[in-house]
Amino acid sequence: MAREPHTWCSAFFGSGLACESVENEIAGCFNAVILDARKKPLLAMLEEIRLYMMERFYNLREEAQKLEGDVCEAALLKMEEFAEDRRTWYAVPSGVNSYEIRNGFQSYGVDLEHHYCSCKLWDIAGIPCVHAQVAILYTNQDPKEFISTWFSKSNYMATYQSNILPVNGSNLWEETGYTKPLPPTARRMPGRPSVKRRRHSNYTTQEILDCLGINEEELYEFEGLKHVPVNLNISQGFEFPSHLTVETLTENEEDLEQEDHESRI
């Protein structure tokens, strides 16, 4: 409780925030959008993010102009979700704009004048909860008129009224006397270069014997084989002796390839 619970616990949220979500996933959505841009160099990354935000502001502003009515569609859809079981509730008047909303043994107090419900959902979300909607309909009013002004079309338009100005490309940048930044020169890393190739799980018996540096008699002695199989399938459980493993086979193969490469040079 000492870590500012009003920032992460809905029980401590204040009124007027118009957001009942503890996590609205804004950072997660933004990071998902710029996932490819984050892999680029700094200037290219910032340029791609700028273009995305500039286009997004324009699209949202055009979408806002097409809204019908004074309330955003998302707020109306959420209000319908809150009113899923509205038929099971009924209002009992208590005073001027004051009602008790009941459903069996459950009851909540609603004050239409101060936009308050004892369930606190209306205070936090800014959208009438099911109890508030029952009280509003009891007075023959429209629940849309009790939605917070944060969800109005005018505020939505004001959010995206400014735009990100276009920027000239690098072809119009002023020339400077400084040396242009260049990528680092390629250098050979220490150690033996790795051989990248597709390794097969099936080797012929002669290939295995050549790579391990043993003959057929030694293979008989280690494995107790009565005959030498044509193919040894490593992936199906063929077991080498404790000191002759598949890793040994791989290392010997790489040594042979390295020797062959050096001989060609």
Side-chain angles (χ1 to χ4, degrees), residues 67-101:
L67 291 176
E68 298 179 357
D70 298 331
V71 182
C72 297
E73 185 178 356
L76 298 177
L77 294 176
K78 184 172 290 187
M79 188 173 64
E80 293 180 1
E81 294 179 3
F82 291 165
E84 184 176 358
D85 57 343
R86 188 173 59 194
R87 295 182 178 181
T88 61
W89 296 85
Y90 64 94
V92 179
S94 174
V96 180
N97 293 327
S98 180
Y99 300 88
E100 181 178 328
I101 312 303

Side-chain angles (χ1 to χ4, degrees), residues 54-259:
M54 182 170 63
E55 185 178 4
R56 176 174 173 81
F57 271 44
Y58 172 80
N59 293 334
L60 292 176
R61 185 167 56 251
E62 291 294 319
E63 182 179 348
Q65 294 177 354
K66 300 177 183 178
L67 291 176
E68 298 179 357
D70 298 331
V71 182
C72 297
E73 185 178 356
L76 298 177
L77 294 176
K78 184 172 290 187
M79 188 173 64
E80 293 180 1
E81 294 179 3
F82 291 165
E84 184 176 358
D85 57 343
R86 188 173 59 194
R87 295 182 178 181
T88 61
W89 296 85
Y90 64 94
V92 179
S94 174
V96 180
N97 293 327
S98 180
Y99 300 88
E100 181 178 328
I101 312 303
R102 300 190 59 85
N103 180 7
F105 294 101
Q106 304 179 51
S107 63
Y108 296 91
V110 175
D111 189 344
L112 298 182
E113 183 177 358
H114 298 91
H115 291 197
Y116 171 80
C117 178
S118 57
C119 73
K120 294 193 66 176
L121 181 59
W122 192 7
D123 298 354
I124 298 175
I127 300 174
C129 59
V130 60
H131 319 113
Q133 293 183 45
V134 172
I136 294 170
L137 294 175
Y138 183 85
T139 59
N140 297 323
Q141 300 184 69
D142 190 357
K144 296 180 183 179
E145 300 177 357
F146 291 83
I147 296 179
S148 174
T149 56
W150 288 111
F151 299 100
S152 62
K153 179 179 178 180
S154 59
N155 282 336
Y156 191 94
M157 292 288 295
T159 303
Y160 301 103
Q161 66 178 357
S162 59
N163 63 301
I164 299 177
L165 299 178
V167 178
N168 293 331
S170 58
N171 59 320
L172 298 178
W173 291 356
E174 296 182 1
E175 293 289 341
T176 63
Y178 298 101
T179 304
K180 294 182 179 180
L182 299 175
T185 57
R187 64 185 183 90
R188 182 177 179 180
M189 301 302 294
R192 186 178 63 184
S194 61
V195 180
K196 296 182 179 180
R197 64 181 183 84
R198 295 187 61 183
R199 303 189 184 279
H200 299 279
S201 60
N202 294 330
Y203 296 87
T204 62
T205 303
Q206 190 60 41
E207 290 175 344
I208 294 177
L209 296 177
D210 293 340
C211 292
L212 293 178
I214 61 177
N215 54 33
E216 296 181 3
E217 295 180 357
E218 292 175 332
L219 183 62
Y220 290 155
E221 179 180 355
F222 286 123
E223 294 297 326
L225 300 177
K226 296 182 179 180
H227 65 280
V228 179
V230 178
N231 291 305
L232 296 178
N233 194 334
I234 298 175
S235 62
Q236 295 181 357
F238 177 80
E239 297 182 357
F240 292 99
S242 59
H243 67 287
L244 297 176
T245 62
V246 180
E247 288 74 11
T248 307
L249 171 62
T250 303
E251 293 175 359
N252 291 338
E253 279 187 336
E254 293 180 352
D255 293 336
L256 293 176
E257 291 178 357
Q258 184 67 18
E259 292 176 0

Side-chain angles (χ1 to χ4, degrees), residues 46-59:
L46 296 177
E47 185 69 8
E48 185 167 338
I49 295 175
R50 183 187 66 83
L51 293 175
Y52 167 76
M53 296 302 299
M54 182 170 63
E55 185 178 4
R56 176 174 173 81
F57 271 44
Y58 172 80
N59 293 334

